Amino acid sequence: MQPSENFTVPRRALDVEDFIDILRRHKGWIFGPFLLTLVASVIGVYLWPDSYDSVAVVKIVPQQVSQNMVQSSITNDLADRINSLATTVLSRNVLITIINNHDLYKSERKRLPLEDVVDNVMKNNIHVIPIMAGSGGRTVPAFNVEFSYSDRFMAQKVVEDVVARFIAENQSNRSTVTTETGQFFKDEADRAKKELEDLETKISQYRVQNNGRLPEQTDLNYRNLQTLNTNYQSLTNSKNRAEMDKLQLETNLQIEKAHKAELTREVPQNSPVVMKSERMQEIEREIQSLEDTLASARQRFKDTYPDVRNLKNRLELAKQQKADLQKQESEVKTPAVVAASPANRQLQMQVLDVEGNIQRFESAIQQRVLEIATLDAQIKQTQDSINKLGAQISSAPLGEQQYDDLLRQREIASKKYVDLDARLSTAEISKNLEYSGQGERLDLLDAASLPQYPTEPKRPMVIGVGAGLGLLLGVVIAAAREMKDTSLKNLKDVRAYTQMAILGSVPLLENDFVVRRRRRIAWLGWTTACLMAVVTMAGSIAFYYYKQSV
C-alpha cells in the first residue's frame, strides 16, 4: 500500500461562535499573562520611589533707564547670559556644596563617588529653561528653575537655594563686569593722555629748535606732484593712442598703394588674358594687407608677442585658402578668356579714387607724426617738472619729515584720548547705574512651589500599560496555540474539511465525577492565584502608604 502524500487544506473563515469557542478553550492562557503583568506592574510602580518637581520662576527686570541715554557695559544676548549664569551656578563645585548642605542622595553617595552623583544623577534632575512669563498680553523674559527629588520639602529647599544663587551670581557678575570695564578704560585713557602729553612736548621742542625753518609748503608741493603725475599719465596714454592710429593709417596706406599697383599694371594688348575670379582677388588683397600689418608689427614687437603670432596664423590661413582656390580653378577645363583691351574710363576713375585715398592717408599720418612730436615735448616738459619738484621735496631737511610724523602722531593720539575719555564717562555712568540698583537684575516672579503630588511615576498609566501588554501577550499565545492545533473542533470543521454530509453526532461521554473534579481543581487554582495576586498588590500598596506616613 502506497503512503499518501501530505497536503494542506486552507482554514475556513471564522465567525463569532468560533471566536467564542477559542476564548473558552484558551481562557487560562489569556487570563494568566494578564494577571501576571498586572501584579508585576502594581508591585513595580508602588515600589518605585516618588519624584516631586518643585518649580520657581525668575524674571529678568530690564534696565530702568533707557539704553539710548545710558549704554550698559554688558551687551551679551539674553539667552547667552542665562546660559552663562546656569553654567556657573550649576557647576560641579556648586552642586557638591548644595548636596552637602542639604544632605541629598544618601543612598547614591554610599554606592558612587560624589562627582558621579553630581554628573549622572543631580544634573539630570535640575533644569533651567528660558521662557516668556506674564499675563494680560504683557510678557517679560524669564526662566524656570526645576528640581526633581524624592522628598518634596527638600526639592522646594533646593530650588530656593538655586534661585538665591542665580540672583547673587547675576548681581556679582554685573558689578564685576562694570567695575573691570571702568578700570580698563581708565587705565587706557591715562596711557593715551600720557602719550599725547609726550608728543606735545616733542613738538614744542622741535618748534623751538627749528624756529623759522618749519615746512610751510610741504603739503602744496605734494599736491602739485600728484597733479603732475596725473598729467604725465594722461599724456603717455594720448601718445600711445596716436602711435596706434599712425600704425593703422600706415597699414591702410600700404593696402591702397598695393591696390593702385594692381589697377595700373600693364596688360598685353594682343594676348588673351585669363581673368581672375573675384574670390581670388579678394584673398590676394587680404594676404597683402596681412603681410604689411605683420611687417609693421615686427618692427615694434618680437615674434613671441601674442598679436604677432595671431597675424602669422591668419597669414598662413589666407595663403592656404589661396592655394586651395588655385587648385580648384586649375581643375576647371574652360577658363574664362577675354581679349586685352585699353584701359577704360571706369578703370581710370578707380585709379584716381585710390590716389585720393593715398593722399588722405599720407596727410593723416603726417598729422599723427606732428601730434606725437608735440606729445613727446609735453611729456619731456612734465617729466622735467616732476624731477624738479621731487628734488625739492627730497632736498628738504630730514627734520621736516620728522615734524610731519609728530603732527600725525599727535592727531592720532588726540583722537584716541577723546574716544577713550568718552568711553570712560559711559562706563562710570553704567557703574553708578548698577550700584544704584537701576540696571538689569533678576527678581523672583513665582516662589519655589511645594509639590503635593508626585510627577513620577505615573501609576495609573503604568498599571494600565502593563495590564494591556499582559492581555495582548495572552491573546498572542492563544492565537499561536490555536494555529498549531489542527484538530476538528465542531461540526462546522467536519463539514468544511471532509465535504461529507453529517447524518448525526455523538456527544463526548465522560465520567461526571472526573469532570466535576477537574473543574474544582481548576477553580481552586485560579482562585488561589487571584487571591495571591490581590494580597501581593494590596501589600505593595500598603507598604507604599506606610512609607509615606513614616
Side-chain angles (χ1 to χ4, degrees):
M1 181 177 181
Q2 297 296 331
S4 60
E5 296 181 356
N6 293 331
F7 64 94
T8 59
V9 178
R11 290 181 176 269
R12 65 182 181 84
L14 302 179
D15 54 15
V16 177
E17 293 180 358
D18 294 326
F19 285 112
I20 294 174
D21 290 340
I22 293 173
L23 182 63
R24 186 183 301 112
R25 286 194 300 271
H26 302 288
K27 57 182 178 293
W29 289 101
I30 297 175
F31 184 71
F34 167 75
L35 182 62
L36 179 63
T37 54
L38 177 63
V39 173
S41 300
V42 172
I43 294 174
V45 81
Y46 277 99
L47 291 181
W48 191 353
D50 291 337
S51 178
Y52 294 91
D53 286 354
S54 180
V55 181
V57 180
V58 181
K59 68 176 180 178
I60 302 174
V61 180
Q63 181 176 305
Q64 301 301 309
V65 181
S66 174
Q67 289 279 354
N68 296 329
M69 300 179 65
V70 179
Q71 184 69 31
S72 175
S73 300
I74 301 175
T75 58
N76 294 340
D77 185 67
L78 179 61
D80 294 338
R81 294 203 300 273
I82 294 177
N83 292 333
S84 177
L85 290 174
T87 302
T88 303
V89 174
L90 302 182
S91 62
R92 178 182 294 177
N93 294 332
V94 175
L95 294 181
I96 289 176
T97 302
I98 293 175
I99 290 176
N100 293 329
N101 291 343
H102 298 284
D103 196 19
L104 304 175
Y105 303 110
K106 297 179 182 179
S107 59
E108 287 82 355
R109 284 189 291 168
K110 294 178 181 178
R111 297 182 290 105
L112 299 172
L114 190 56
E115 289 79 6
D116 292 345
V117 173
V118 171
D119 294 336
N120 301 329
V121 181
M122 189 170 186
K123 284 190 176 181
N124 295 329
N125 295 331
I126 190 167
H127 305 283
V128 177
I129 305 173
I131 60 171
M132 296 297 293
S135 60
R138 301 182 62 184
T139 59
V140 295
F143 59 92
N144 285 345
V145 179
E146 301 178 1
F147 180 64
S148 301
Y149 195 64
S150 58
D151 187 346
R152 60 194 185 100
F153 297 101
M154 192 59 66
Q156 184 186 29
K157 291 181 180 179
V158 171
V159 171
E160 292 174 348
D161 190 357
V162 172
V163 169
R165 291 178 183 273
F166 262 103
I167 295 175
E169 179 64 24
N170 178 69
Q171 184 177 359
S172 174
N173 187 21
R174 295 187 68 86
S175 299
T176 302
V177 170
T178 53
T179 302
E180 292 179 352
T181 302
Q183 185 63 38
F184 171 77
F185 282 119
K186 184 177 183 302
D187 295 340
E188 291 296 319
D190 293 341
R191 189 179 297 109
K193 183 178 180 181
K194 184 176 182 303
E195 181 180 355
L196 181 60
E197 291 175 352
D198 293 340
L199 290 172
E200 290 288 353
T201 302
K202 291 180 180 180
I203 292 174
S204 299
Q205 293 175 356
Y206 181 85
R207 286 175 176 173
V208 172
Q209 296 174 0
N210 298 274
N211 188 16
R213 294 183 298 165
L214 297 177
E216 301 293 342
Q217 302 295 327
T218 302
D219 293 338
L220 180 60
N221 291 336
Y222 277 116
R223 288 194 295 270
N224 292 336
L225 179 61
Q226 184 177 5
T227 302
L228 289 174
N229 287 327
T230 304
N231 293 337
Y232 179 82
Q233 184 66 30
S234 177
L235 292 172
T236 303
N237 294 335
S238 299
K239 179 184 175 182
N240 293 334
R241 287 194 299 269
E243 289 179 348
M244 292 298 296
D245 293 343
K246 178 186 174 185
L247 179 61
Q248 184 66 32
L249 291 171
E250 290 175 348
T251 302
N252 294 333
L253 178 60
Q254 293 177 1
I255 293 173
E256 292 296 330
K257 286 181 178 181
H259 190 195
K260 177 183 177 181
E262 182 179 356
L263 292 175
T264 58
R265 187 178 302 161
E266 293 184 357
V267 181
Q269 295 292 327
N270 299 319
S271 59
V273 178
V274 179
M275 300 297 294
K276 295 183 180 179
S277 64
E278 294 181 359
R279 176 60 178 164
M280 178 63 72
Q281 295 176 4
E282 181 181 354
I283 291 177
E284 288 179 350
R285 286 195 297 271
E286 182 179 0
I287 291 173
Q288 184 65 31
S289 175
L290 290 174
E291 288 177 348
D292 295 338
T293 306
L294 180 60
S296 301
R298 281 178 172 175
Q299 294 177 2
R300 298 176 53 84
F301 307 106
K302 295 181 179 180
D303 290 344
T304 57
Y305 194 73
D307 291 343
V308 176
R309 287 190 290 180
N310 186 21
L311 289 172
K312 291 172 66 177
N313 293 333
R314 291 173 58 189
L315 180 60
E316 293 176 359
L317 180 60
K319 290 180 177 180
Q320 182 64 34
Q321 292 177 354
K322 178 181 178 182
D324 294 341
L325 187 59
Q326 288 176 348
K327 183 179 179 181
Q328 293 176 3
E329 291 180 352
S330 63
E331 293 176 355
V332 179
K333 301 303 181 177
T334 58
V337 178
V338 297
S341 61
N344 55 20
R345 184 67 177 176
Q346 183 178 2
L347 183 59
Q348 293 177 358
M349 293 299 297
Q350 291 180 359
V351 171
L352 292 176
D353 291 338
V354 171
E355 289 178 349
N357 292 335
I358 291 173
Q359 292 177 0
R360 285 194 297 271
F361 285 137
E362 289 177 347
S363 177
I365 291 172
Q366 186 65 28
Q367 291 178 0
R368 294 296 183 275
V369 171
L370 295 176
E371 182 180 357
I372 292 172
T374 304
L375 290 173
D376 286 334
Q378 294 178 357
I379 290 173
K380 185 176 182 303
Q381 183 180 0
T382 305
Q383 184 64 47
D384 294 340
S385 300
I386 291 174
N387 295 335
K388 181 179 179 181
L389 192 57
Q392 292 177 358
I393 295 175
S394 300
S395 62
L398 182 62
E400 294 182 0
Q401 298 181 3
Q402 180 182 1
Y403 180 72
D404 292 337
D405 293 339
L406 288 175
L407 292 179
R408 285 194 295 270
Q409 292 177 7
R410 183 186 66 177
E411 183 180 1
I412 294 173
S414 177
K415 291 181 179 179
K416 181 179 179 182
Y417 174 71
V418 171
D419 180 65
L420 289 174
D421 186 65
R423 292 176 181 270
L424 177 60
S425 300
T426 303
E428 291 294 335
I429 296 174
S430 177
K431 180 180 177 181
N432 296 333
L433 186 71
E434 294 293 337
Y435 285 162
S436 62
Q438 300 299 315
E440 184 180 274
R441 65 182 188 277
L442 299 181
D443 281 348
L444 187 62
L445 184 61
D446 292 335
S449 61
L450 179 62
Q452 300 298 322
Y453 303 100
T455 55
E456 291 183 357
K458 301 183 184 301
R459 291 185 172 86
M461 184 184 70
V462 174
I463 293 173
V465 171
L469 292 176
L471 184 61
L472 179 61
L473 178 62
V475 171
V476 171
I477 294 174
R481 288 178 59 84
E482 182 66 21
M483 294 293 294
K484 188 176 180 181
D485 187 5
T486 59
S487 62
L488 302 179
K489 311 297 188 308
N490 48 39
L491 294 178
K492 294 179 181 180
D493 291 344
V494 174
R495 292 190 185 97
Y497 299 126
T498 62
Q499 301 296 325
M500 296 180 182
I502 305 301
L503 300 177
S505 62
V506 179
L508 178 63
L509 300 177
E510 290 184 316
N511 192 327
D512 293 341
F513 175 75
V514 175
V515 173
R516 285 196 301 271
R517 184 172 179 272
R518 187 166 59 245
R519 289 179 178 176
R520 288 174 183 174
I521 291 174
W523 182 86
L524 180 62
W526 283 112
T527 303
T528 303
C530 292
L531 288 176
M532 291 179 63
V534 171
V535 170
T536 304
M537 291 186 292
S540 62
I541 296 173
F543 178 73
Y544 167 76
Y545 284 106
Y546 172 74
K547 285 176 59 179
Q548 295 293 322
S549 62
V550 174

